[in-house]
Amino acid sequence: MGLKLRLSILTIALCQTFFANAASVNSKIEVITVTGDRFDSSPDQQLTVINTIEREEITRLNPKSVVDILETLPGVSVTRNGGAGQSASISMRGTNSGHVLVLVDGVRIGSATLGAVSFNALSPENIERIEVVKGPRAAIWGSDAIGGVIQIFTRKLDGGEWFATAEYGSDAYTRASGGVGISHGDGSTTISLNREQSDGYNIKNDNEDDNDGYRRFGMSIKGQQVLNQQWQLSWVGQLETGNYEYDSSRANEADYDNYLWNLAAQYQHNKLNSRLAVSQSRDHNENFRADNASLGRSLYQTTRDQINWSNSYTATDNLTFIGGVDWSQESIMGDYAIDQRDLLGFYALTRYQVGKLLLEGIVRYDDVENIDSETSYNASLGYQFNPQWRIAFNAGSAFKAPTFNDLYWPDTGNAALMSETSNNMDLTLHYDGNYVDGYISVYQNKINNLIEWAPNGQIGSDGYEIYQPANIAKAEITGVELSLNYNTWGIEHRLGYSYVDAIDLRGDTPLVGRSKNEFDYALGYSWTAVDLFVNYHYQGKRNAGDYNYDNATDYLASYNQIDMSLGYKLTESWQLRLKANNLLNENIISDHNYFSPGRQVFFSVSYQEY
């Protein structure tokens, strides 16, 4: 897409904001989130930026990976090593990919060895909603929440409800999915299944010229049972298993087999709400060469046992206390000097409202076995000018504990590492009217003790310096984030823009992998049996480091991507959907030498009984 077309889209979208008051009445839907403080709260009770994506929008997006959903949000940047089935990473507000905590139904997921989350293993069809909290939230959740928190909630159907979908598309893509809600007294259980595969395409510019396909199977179980007026039980189970091919000199294929389960009991009486949850998650990934299974075979496995006790006490209409205890044990498989550690955290939150002023304070203490303990905090102040306008100021700290690979990888681990730490401030102006809602947020995040590979002053037997992970880097990230949603004449509009200035303070140079500008514009329209959803994403050029080794900074080119989804309801239950990705067939590269797919088209048929 040329510059003129980009400017035209931006101009049209901005001009339409001036006509928002002429729109038809836009009925407001009450939004309740839990990720900000662990209990059901409305956004105006939480003094932080929270984006939510509901099932209806996920259906219209018809994504092929979870990162397809997340990339539509301002302040969230995606780096892909290929298409939907390949590995991908998330950066939030310019922080590292390991600085984002990811939860599924309250359960922490991801690898304790690599410090990464397998987004490619998650099935979008099994997701009910996603909540994304921007900024540090370690004071609530503990390690990793430096840039923000992503919580994924699995599908939930009432008894007697069910759905089924079949889809076919480019690169021999096929998908079959379905789910059913089962009633049992004062409770119900949802079972969702998803099976998909694709022959793929050649994802990398190298000597291995072949198609890199994938297959995955996902199953989720989610239920609850009301015992009496005070007690309720809930349970969650999820299994994700599959395989994906990629290009590498040592290994070119991987199998994964990940699962999680969570059992919880909740007590609610008068002013007290208390919840005790026991859970376990496993991240299992095995890499190998398809033509020589014994060459380059490697196994990464993390098992994480967790116990969480959370409590909320509403002392008065204006005063709330929240607090609890988190315990987890991480166990890994491999030849490590230490292959297990315990983590223990205590947190407390106080929220108090005085007239139009809302104050919130959070403090948390974390003890990570064999690592220095950390104390995190959040201090927030909000002022409600009137029913539409609100301003909020946040100051907070966060940390990320070193991974097992950083600490104990054979021959190169550094057991003396400290946690990476950060201090953040942000100021956000919110507006929520009948036809328009949005926010603009300005933030600064200073991160210290960043872990990077560096020479340790010793010489190996081969005569070269020995490198180890070390706490040697520091960064300063300054940014602006804008979100605007409005309706004009029955057309939904959503704009998102983020500016990120991420600097490596050691040499006052830009951090690798970031782009200063990203812009999103989505348009949705429904008319009788037809719905149309168009999404435009602009990714500015990215600093790619010096991959040519010529002592000069290299950049990945900026790109424009337009996706379209068109749905048609044959009846109240039957629906057809046509989805087209990368309509302009742009050459999209978000990581050096790795290509995203060109233009793709998908067609699905679905039935739902609600």
Side-chain angles (χ1 to χ4, degrees), residues 444-456:
Q444 184 180 71
N445 200 352
K446 295 183 178 181
I447 308 175
N448 295 306
N449 298 323
L450 283 167
I451 297 172
E452 287 191 2
W453 285 82
N456 64 5

Side-chain angles (χ1 to χ4, degrees), residues 31 34 52 89 91 126 177 226 262 265 278 283 288 348 359 362 400 432 450 485 493 499 526 566 574 585 602 606:
V31 176
V34 302
T52 61
S89 61
S91 172
N126 290 344
S177 58
V226 176
N262 182 37
V278 179
D283 185 280
F288 56 91
L359 301 94
I362 317 171
K400 176 181 173 55
D432 189 1
L450 283 167
N485 307 294
H493 306 270
Y499 169 84
S526 297
L566 179 65
W574 286 97
N585 199 30
F602 305 91
S606 61

Side-chain angles (χ1 to χ4, degrees), residues 417-481:
L417 289 173
M418 299 181 294
S419 294
E420 300 175 331
T421 60
S422 76
N423 288 282
N424 179 87
M425 293 187 298
D426 66 74
L427 182 68
T428 305
L429 181 65
H430 300 263
Y431 179 80
D432 189 1
N434 289 329
Y435 313 108
V436 183
D437 67 82
Y439 66 85
I440 182 168
S441 185
V442 181
Y443 60 88
Q444 184 180 71
N445 200 352
K446 295 183 178 181
I447 308 175
N448 295 306
N449 298 323
L450 283 167
I451 297 172
E452 287 191 2
W453 285 82
N456 64 5
Q458 302 179 26
I459 304 298
S461 58
D462 56 2
Y464 291 96
E465 289 183 299
I466 297 176
Y467 277 66
Q468 283 183 300
N471 296 105
I472 60 170
K474 57 175 62 177
E476 182 175 292
I477 304 171
T478 304
V480 179
E481 185 175 301

Side-chain angles (χ1 to χ4, degrees), residues 242-552:
N243 168 278
Y244 63 96
E245 300 166 339
Y246 60 97
D247 292 339
S248 175
S249 58
R250 290 185 55 81
N252 61 4
E253 197 166 334
D255 291 333
Y256 60 85
D257 185 11
N258 305 336
Y259 71 78
L260 65 87
W261 58 263
N262 182 37
L263 300 175
Q266 186 160 331
Y267 173 84
Q268 187 168 5
H269 182 64
N270 294 332
K271 299 179 178 182
L272 176 65
N273 193 343
S274 183
R275 187 174 189 269
L276 178 65
V278 179
S279 59
Q280 184 183 80
S281 64
R282 187 185 76 168
D283 185 280
H284 175 102
N285 193 295
E286 188 168 8
N287 298 266
F288 56 91
R289 282 201 68 86
D291 53 356
N292 187 345
S294 62
L295 177 65
R297 180 172 288 273
S298 58
L299 173 65
Y300 302 93
Q301 179 173 305
T302 297
T303 302
R304 185 178 286 110
D305 298 310
Q306 305 171 63
I307 300 176
N308 312 108
W309 183 38
S310 301
N311 304 273
S312 174
Y313 181 76
T314 306
T316 68
D317 290 341
N318 298 324
L319 180 62
T320 301
F321 298 100
I322 295 175
V325 182
D326 296 324
W327 174 87
S328 64
Q329 183 179 83
E330 297 174 342
S331 304
I332 63 171
M333 184 176 293
D335 186 20
Y336 292 83
I338 295 178
D339 58 9
Q340 181 176 292
R341 69 182 179 191
D342 292 347
L343 300 89
L344 182 64
F346 305 88
Y347 68 95
L349 176 152
T350 301
R351 184 181 294 137
Y352 183 61
Q353 184 164 359
V354 186
K356 296 183 177 182
L357 195 65
L358 182 62
L359 301 94
E360 182 182 86
I362 317 171
V363 64
R364 180 183 173 106
Y365 173 83
D366 281 279
D367 181 66
V368 183
E369 188 175 5
N370 300 318
I371 303 295
D372 289 341
S373 61
E374 295 291 340
T375 300
S376 309
Y377 78 93
N378 269 97
S380 306
L381 176 66
Y383 186 80
Q384 191 83 38
F385 295 103
N386 54 46
Q388 290 79 38
W389 290 96
R390 177 167 65 103
I391 193 168
F393 172 77
N394 289 276
S397 63
F399 76 100
K400 176 181 173 55
T403 68
F404 277 85
N405 282 4
D406 293 332
L407 294 164
Y408 310 121
W409 184 264
D411 300 324
T412 59
N414 182 0
L417 289 173
M418 299 181 294
S419 294
E420 300 175 331
T421 60
S422 76
N423 288 282
N424 179 87
M425 293 187 298
D426 66 74
L427 182 68
T428 305
L429 181 65
H430 300 263
Y431 179 80
D432 189 1
N434 289 329
Y435 313 108
V436 183
D437 67 82
Y439 66 85
I440 182 168
S441 185
V442 181
Y443 60 88
Q444 184 180 71
N445 200 352
K446 295 183 178 181
I447 308 175
N448 295 306
N449 298 323
L450 283 167
I451 297 172
E452 287 191 2
W453 285 82
N456 64 5
Q458 302 179 26
I459 304 298
S461 58
D462 56 2
Y464 291 96
E465 289 183 299
I466 297 176
Y467 277 66
Q468 283 183 300
N471 296 105
I472 60 170
K474 57 175 62 177
E476 182 175 292
I477 304 171
T478 304
V480 179
E481 185 175 301
L482 170 69
S483 177
L484 182 64
N485 307 294
Y486 60 99
N487 271 27
T488 56
W489 301 290
I491 302 175
E492 305 170 43
H493 306 270
R494 187 182 66 217
L495 294 109
Y497 170 74
S498 61
Y499 169 84
V500 175
D501 186 23
I503 301 298
D504 185 336
L505 294 179
R506 290 174 299 173
D508 197 29
T509 56
L511 289 176
V512 173
R514 280 70 167 181
S515 57
K516 286 194 173 184
N517 298 283
E518 289 190 42
F519 174 74
D520 287 277
Y521 171 59
L523 178 152
Y525 180 73
S526 297
W527 181 71
T528 60
V530 178
D531 72 84
L532 174 68
F533 191 77
V534 180
N535 188 75
Y536 165 71
H537 176 73
Y538 168 77
Q539 178 76 54
K541 68 176 184 179
R542 300 192 193 209
N543 177 1
D546 181 16
Y547 60 73
N548 290 331
Y549 302 104
D550 59 357
N551 296 318

Side-chain angles (χ1 to χ4, degrees), residues 557-560 582 584-589 594-598:
S558 62
Y559 64 82
N560 306 273
N582 193 9
L584 302 179
N585 199 30
E586 282 228 6
N587 184 26
I588 296 175
I589 301 176
Y594 287 93
F595 301 100
S596 292

Side-chain angles (χ1 to χ4, degrees), residues 62-115:
N62 193 14
K64 296 297 166 280
S65 70
V66 173
V67 294
D68 291 345
I69 308 172
L70 296 172
E71 193 174 34
T72 65
L73 300 176
V76 179
S77 186
V78 173
T79 299
R80 294 178 173 87
N81 291 338
Q86 309 301 320
S87 61
S89 61
I90 293 289
S91 172
M92 194 178 297
R93 290 191 167 184
T95 58
N96 291 341
S97 59
H99 293 162
V100 179
L101 173 63
V102 182
L103 309 163
V104 174
D105 289 313
V107 181
R108 180 186 291 258
I109 64 171
S111 170
T113 55
L114 300 174

